[in-house]
Amino acid sequence: MDTIPQLSIVSEADAYGLGSMRLINTKAFLERERVISQGGKVDRQTKVLDFADDETTNYAILSHRWIDEVDYEEMVDLAKIDGEEQDKIRQRLGYRKILNSCEQATRDKYEWLWVDTCCIDKRSSAELSEAINSMYRWYENSRVCYAYLHDIQGSSFPTERNTTRYPDFNGWPEWFSRGWTLQEMIAPSVVRFFNKDWQPIGDKDAHAETLEDITGVPRHILTDGLSFDRPCVAQIMSWAANRVTTRVEDRAYSLMGLLDVNMPMLYGEGKKAFHRLQLEIIRLSNDQSIFAWGCNEGDVRTGSILADDPSFFRGCGRMELMDPDGFIQHLENLIPKERLQSIKRDRFGTFPITNRGIQIWLLLCPYRDSRSVFQAWLPCRPAPYHGAVTINLAVWESNYYRYPRLEFPTDQTLQFRQVYLRYQDTHRDVTFHIDDSAITENGFICCDVYPPKLAGDTLTLTGASPLCVRVYSDSRADCRFAVAFGQCFGQDWIHCFHDGARARPIHGTDTSRIGVRIEVVRHPGLHFGPNDWRVLDLERTNDPNRDMRSLMILNQTYQGRHTLLVDGVKMAFLLVPDEANETSSLTLCLLLQRWTSPRGSTKCP
């Protein structure tokens, strides 16, 4: 065991700003506990906590799951509290952890120990913020980390998933499911595991293979740390995808050290903390894998280019960066030769954050028959020897937003273009009131609803649930149609489609100014089928062939069939003669016109 150097004591007033941390004096703590347990009189002037420099002090550190903890104030004032209240504190599981940690540190000949529950005075927001920003370094500089796994009762480290014993934590002890314990496992060079009774059950190096299976963290990171071969941002994020924290902000704060980022704590900001974390990473790094979230997760929510939390990176466990030359060479068959020479490699390394969006150069390819939805290639790949990652972007009012994955083919001609990626959260909760009485009175019934929880005529859409679809059918006429409404790019949208027609959202309309009127009629004398639908006037515009913002444009008319461009995408429909409305046959009118009610809700009749 190394010789313990003289502790460099720093006054509490000067502690912060000098790289200092508050540590438990294990000898003083154990002596105080001995005197209390024997009913003796404790010297109230004895200090069990003191400040020291983490880079020059030999200390042990504790990693654990919080349960019934003892805080800084209780630790300091324990000797001043009367007997009954004192005993209540000493009987807590959190206090017993501190006691057992001090005893273990003493056996290992460490005089100093750091425990997060009592070594940070959380009454001071400045102290808490500095401690969280320093925490990765404190674990990294410790001589040993004690990982206390309170729910392991046996004498051996678990090597196989056991859903019977650990049903709530994917078959593993709870310690592996927590957000903060991720950095506490990676940062220290020595991690020793203990069971419920503080019996040693192994260390990090000996169980590196099992730990890799449990956590997804590569074995070389566990044994050698992040200093020598730092993975890309997306891969580091993936390690936290299945972990949880008590406070939603800690989903971001617990990753700062792993990503080498510092930022102030703002508890109460919710998921904005993770957005701030990503923006700080972008300011410090040119790692475009930060935009690669959701690449293996199917559909992605529409809106900000930033992920809402680490779970969005769940499919990025083997993600790696590609150097610019290799990236261009990988895509050279998709880039016209005359453009290939004009691509400046250094543009891949700069993407400043502006008030308009993240300004970045990307290789884009438009989807066929669309001028607003693009596939973008990123200089990273989901695994070694794989192709480059692609994400979908949609342009709206000159900004590019993240867009769900599409199955339609692209034009396969890449363009190197500077764009602005929208990072601001555009979503707002909106309540829709549905009035479909005009439909149901004419024989149609609502046969299906998404989401299923929509049982009544009111639905509030949120960022997690931005879409509603109602399907109507008439068995006598053998037809059905659906109405979908939701939010896209911060705007309400609504769309009607029927059997055989591809659904395309009409988005971005200002609901207080623009109405889209769609009529559904049964053609006189004909079977009611998909060709008998009619799209009528686009209101409030001087041009009868387009709406106010040119989202919908009458493209061409051929043999009674018309082509409508909806946000640049062709849609065919059949105009039914106006005199059809004058016949005695059944006429259904579905008015898809939204307006803002006095309370700010949106009606969808």
Side-chain angles (χ1 to χ4, degrees), residues 141-175:
N141 287 340
S142 67
R143 292 304 179 96
V144 62
C145 175
Y146 302 140
Y148 177 60
L149 280 55
H150 71 279
D151 47 2
I152 293 183
Q153 298 182 356
S155 59
S156 60
F157 189 87
T159 57
E160 294 182 355
R161 181 179 281 106
N162 189 329
T163 55
T164 301
R165 180 172 296 177
Y166 311 109
D168 298 327
F169 312 113
N170 199 28
W172 298 104
E174 188 182 8
W175 187 84

Coordinates of all heavy atoms in Angstrom, one line a residue, residues 141-175:
N141 N -9.9 10.2 -10.0 CA -8.7 10.4 -9.2 C -8.7 9.5 -7.9 O -7.7 9.5 -7.2 CB -8.5 11.8 -8.8 CG -8.1 12.7 -9.9 OD1 -7.6 12.2 -10.9 ND2 -8.4 14.0 -9.9
S142 N -9.7 8.8 -7.6 CA -9.8 8.0 -6.4 C -8.8 6.8 -6.5 O -8.6 6.3 -7.6 CB -11.2 7.5 -6.1 OG -11.6 6.6 -7.1
R143 N -8.4 6.3 -5.4 CA -7.5 5.1 -5.4 C -8.3 3.9 -5.6 O -7.8 2.9 -6.1 CB -6.6 5.1 -4.2 CG -5.6 6.2 -4.1 CD -4.7 6.2 -5.4 NE -3.7 7.2 -5.4 CZ -2.4 7.1 -5.0 NH1 -2.0 5.9 -4.5 NH2 -1.6 8.1 -5.1
V144 N -9.5 3.9 -5.0 CA -10.4 2.7 -5.1 C -11.8 3.2 -5.0 O -12.1 4.1 -4.3 CB -10.1 1.7 -4.0 CG1 -10.3 2.2 -2.7 CG2 -10.9 0.4 -4.2
C145 N -12.7 2.5 -5.8 CA -14.1 2.8 -5.7 C -14.8 1.6 -5.1 O -14.7 0.5 -5.7 CB -14.7 3.2 -7.1 SG -16.5 3.4 -7.1
Y146 N -15.6 1.8 -4.1 CA -16.4 0.7 -3.5 C -17.8 0.7 -4.1 O -18.5 1.7 -3.9 CB -16.5 0.8 -2.0 CG -15.2 0.8 -1.3 CD1 -15.0 1.7 -0.2 CD2 -14.2 0.0 -1.6 CE1 -13.8 1.7 0.5 CE2 -12.9 0.0 -1.0 CZ -12.8 0.9 0.1 OH -11.6 0.9 0.8
A147 N -18.2 -0.3 -4.9 CA -19.5 -0.4 -5.5 C -20.3 -1.3 -4.6 O -20.1 -2.5 -4.6 CB -19.4 -0.9 -6.9
Y148 N -21.3 -0.7 -3.9 CA -22.1 -1.4 -3.0 C -23.4 -1.8 -3.6 O -24.3 -1.0 -4.0 CB -22.4 -0.6 -1.7 CG -23.3 -1.2 -0.7 CD1 -23.0 -2.4 -0.1 CD2 -24.6 -0.6 -0.4 CE1 -23.8 -3.0 0.8 CE2 -25.4 -1.2 0.5 CZ -25.0 -2.4 1.1 OH -25.9 -3.0 2.0
L149 N -23.6 -3.1 -3.9 CA -24.8 -3.7 -4.6 C -25.7 -4.3 -3.5 O -25.5 -5.4 -3.1 CB -24.3 -4.8 -5.6 CG -23.8 -4.3 -6.9 CD1 -22.7 -3.3 -6.8 CD2 -23.5 -5.4 -7.8
H150 N -26.6 -3.4 -3.0 CA -27.4 -3.8 -1.8 C -28.3 -4.9 -2.0 O -28.8 -5.5 -1.0 CB -28.2 -2.5 -1.4 CG -29.3 -2.2 -2.4 ND1 -29.2 -1.6 -3.6 CD2 -30.7 -2.5 -2.3 CE1 -30.3 -1.5 -4.2 NE2 -31.3 -2.0 -3.5
D151 N -28.6 -5.3 -3.3 CA -29.6 -6.4 -3.5 C -29.0 -7.7 -3.9 O -29.7 -8.6 -4.3 CB -30.6 -6.0 -4.6 CG -30.0 -5.4 -5.8 OD1 -28.8 -5.3 -5.9 OD2 -30.8 -4.9 -6.7
I152 N -27.6 -7.8 -3.7 CA -27.0 -9.1 -3.9 C -26.7 -9.7 -2.6 O -26.0 -9.2 -1.7 CB -25.6 -8.9 -4.7 CG1 -25.9 -8.5 -6.1 CG2 -24.8 -10.3 -4.7 CD1 -24.6 -8.3 -6.9
Q153 N -27.3 -10.9 -2.3 CA -27.2 -11.6 -1.0 C -26.2 -12.7 -1.1 O -25.7 -13.1 0.0 CB -28.6 -12.1 -0.6 CG -29.6 -11.1 -0.4 CD -30.9 -11.6 0.0 OE1 -31.1 -12.8 0.2 NE2 -31.9 -10.8 0.3
G154 N -25.8 -13.2 -2.2 CA -24.9 -14.3 -2.3 C -23.5 -13.8 -2.2 O -23.2 -12.6 -2.2
S155 N -22.5 -14.7 -2.3 CA -21.1 -14.4 -2.1 C -20.4 -14.3 -3.4 O -19.1 -14.3 -3.4 CB -20.4 -15.5 -1.2 OG -20.6 -16.8 -1.8
S156 N -21.1 -14.3 -4.5 CA -20.4 -14.2 -5.8 C -21.1 -13.2 -6.7 O -22.3 -12.9 -6.6 CB -20.5 -15.6 -6.5 OG -21.8 -16.0 -6.8
F157 N -20.3 -12.7 -7.7 CA -20.8 -11.7 -8.6 C -21.8 -12.3 -9.6 O -21.4 -13.4 -10.1 CB -19.6 -11.0 -9.3 CG -20.0 -9.8 -10.1 CD1 -20.0 -8.6 -9.6 CD2 -20.3 -10.0 -11.5 CE1 -20.3 -7.4 -10.3 CE2 -20.6 -8.8 -12.2 CZ -20.6 -7.6 -11.7
P158 N -22.9 -11.7 -9.9 CA -23.9 -12.4 -10.8 C -23.3 -12.4 -12.3 O -22.8 -11.4 -12.8 CB -25.1 -11.5 -10.8 CG -24.6 -10.2 -10.3 CD -23.4 -10.4 -9.4
T159 N -23.3 -13.5 -12.9 CA -22.8 -13.6 -14.3 C -23.9 -14.0 -15.3 O -23.6 -14.0 -16.5 CB -21.7 -14.7 -14.3 OG1 -22.3 -16.0 -13.8 CG2 -20.5 -14.4 -13.4
E160 N -25.1 -14.2 -14.8 CA -26.2 -14.5 -15.8 C -27.4 -13.7 -15.3 O -27.6 -13.4 -14.1 CB -26.5 -16.0 -15.8 CG -25.4 -16.8 -16.3 CD -25.9 -18.3 -16.4 OE1 -27.0 -18.6 -15.9 OE2 -25.1 -19.1 -16.9
R161 N -28.2 -13.3 -16.3 CA -29.4 -12.5 -16.0 C -30.4 -13.4 -15.2 O -30.6 -14.6 -15.5 CB -30.1 -12.1 -17.4 CG -31.4 -11.3 -17.2 CD -32.0 -10.9 -18.5 NE -31.3 -9.7 -19.1 CZ -30.4 -9.8 -20.1 NH1 -30.1 -10.9 -20.7 NH2 -29.8 -8.6 -20.5
N162 N -31.0 -12.8 -14.2 CA -32.0 -13.5 -13.4 C -33.2 -12.6 -13.2 O -33.3 -11.8 -12.3 CB -31.3 -13.8 -12.0 CG -32.2 -14.8 -11.2 OD1 -33.4 -14.8 -11.2 ND2 -31.5 -15.6 -10.3
T163 N -34.2 -12.8 -14.0 CA -35.4 -12.0 -14.0 C -36.3 -12.3 -12.8 O -37.2 -11.5 -12.4 CB -36.2 -12.1 -15.3 OG1 -36.5 -13.5 -15.5 CG2 -35.5 -11.6 -16.5
T164 N -36.1 -13.5 -12.2 CA -36.9 -13.8 -11.0 C -36.4 -13.0 -9.8 O -37.2 -12.5 -9.0 CB -36.8 -15.3 -10.7 OG1 -37.3 -16.1 -11.8 CG2 -37.6 -15.7 -9.5
R165 N -35.1 -13.0 -9.6 CA -34.5 -12.2 -8.5 C -34.5 -10.7 -8.7 O -34.7 -10.0 -7.8 CB -33.1 -12.7 -8.3 CG -32.3 -12.0 -7.1 CD -31.0 -12.7 -6.8 NE -31.2 -14.1 -6.3 CZ -30.2 -14.9 -6.1 NH1 -28.9 -14.5 -6.2 NH2 -30.4 -16.1 -5.7
Y166 N -34.3 -10.3 -10.0 CA -34.3 -8.9 -10.3 C -35.3 -8.5 -11.4 O -34.9 -8.2 -12.5 CB -32.9 -8.5 -10.7 CG -31.8 -8.9 -9.8 CD1 -30.9 -10.0 -10.2 CD2 -31.6 -8.4 -8.5 CE1 -29.9 -10.4 -9.4 CE2 -30.6 -8.8 -7.7 CZ -29.7 -9.8 -8.1 OH -28.7 -10.3 -7.3
P167 N -36.6 -8.7 -11.1 CA -37.6 -8.5 -12.2 C -37.7 -7.1 -12.7 O -38.1 -6.9 -13.8 CB -38.9 -8.9 -11.5 CG -38.6 -8.7 -10.0 CD -37.2 -9.0 -9.8
D168 N -37.3 -6.1 -11.9 CA -37.5 -4.7 -12.3 C -36.3 -4.1 -13.0 O -36.4 -3.0 -13.4 CB -37.9 -3.9 -11.1 CG -39.2 -4.3 -10.4 OD1 -40.0 -4.7 -11.2 OD2 -39.3 -4.2 -9.2
F169 N -35.2 -4.8 -13.1 CA -34.0 -4.2 -13.6 C -33.3 -5.1 -14.7 O -32.1 -5.3 -14.7 CB -33.0 -4.0 -12.5 CG -33.6 -3.3 -11.3 CD1 -33.8 -3.9 -10.1 CD2 -34.1 -2.0 -11.4 CE1 -34.4 -3.3 -9.0 CE2 -34.7 -1.4 -10.4 CZ -34.9 -2.0 -9.1
N170 N -34.2 -5.6 -15.6 CA -33.7 -6.4 -16.7 C -32.9 -7.6 -16.3 O -32.0 -8.0 -17.0 CB -32.9 -5.5 -17.7 CG -32.8 -6.1 -19.1 OD1 -33.7 -6.8 -19.5 ND2 -31.7 -5.8 -19.7
G171 N -33.2 -8.1 -15.1 CA -32.5 -9.3 -14.7 C -31.2 -9.1 -14.0 O -30.5 -10.1 -13.7
W172 N -30.8 -7.9 -13.7 CA -29.5 -7.6 -13.1 C -29.8 -6.7 -11.8 O -30.8 -6.1 -11.7 CB -28.6 -6.9 -14.0 CG -28.3 -7.6 -15.3 CD1 -28.8 -7.4 -16.5 CD2 -27.4 -8.8 -15.4 NE1 -28.2 -8.4 -17.4 CE2 -27.4 -9.2 -16.7 CE3 -26.6 -9.4 -14.4 CZ2 -26.6 -10.2 -17.1 CZ3 -25.8 -10.5 -14.9 CH2 -25.8 -10.9 -16.2
P173 N -28.8 -6.7 -10.9 CA -29.0 -5.8 -9.7 C -29.2 -4.4 -10.1 O -28.9 -3.9 -11.1 CB -27.6 -6.0 -9.0 CG -27.1 -7.3 -9.4 CD -27.6 -7.5 -10.9
E174 N -29.9 -3.7 -9.2 CA -30.4 -2.3 -9.5 C -29.3 -1.4 -9.8 O -29.4 -0.4 -10.5 CB -31.2 -1.8 -8.3 CG -31.9 -0.5 -8.5 CD -32.7 0.0 -7.4 OE1 -32.5 -0.6 -6.3 OE2 -33.4 1.0 -7.5
W175 N -28.1 -1.6 -9.2 CA -26.9 -0.7 -9.4 C -26.7 -0.5 -10.9 O -26.3 0.6 -11.3 CB -25.7 -1.3 -8.7 CG -24.5 -0.4 -8.7 CD1 -24.2 0.6 -7.8 CD2 -23.4 -0.5 -9.6 NE1 -23.0 1.1 -8.1 CE2 -22.5 0.5 -9.2 CE3 -23.1 -1.3 -10.7 CZ2 -21.3 0.7 -9.9 CZ3 -21.9 -1.0 -11.4 CH2 -21.0 0.0 -11.0

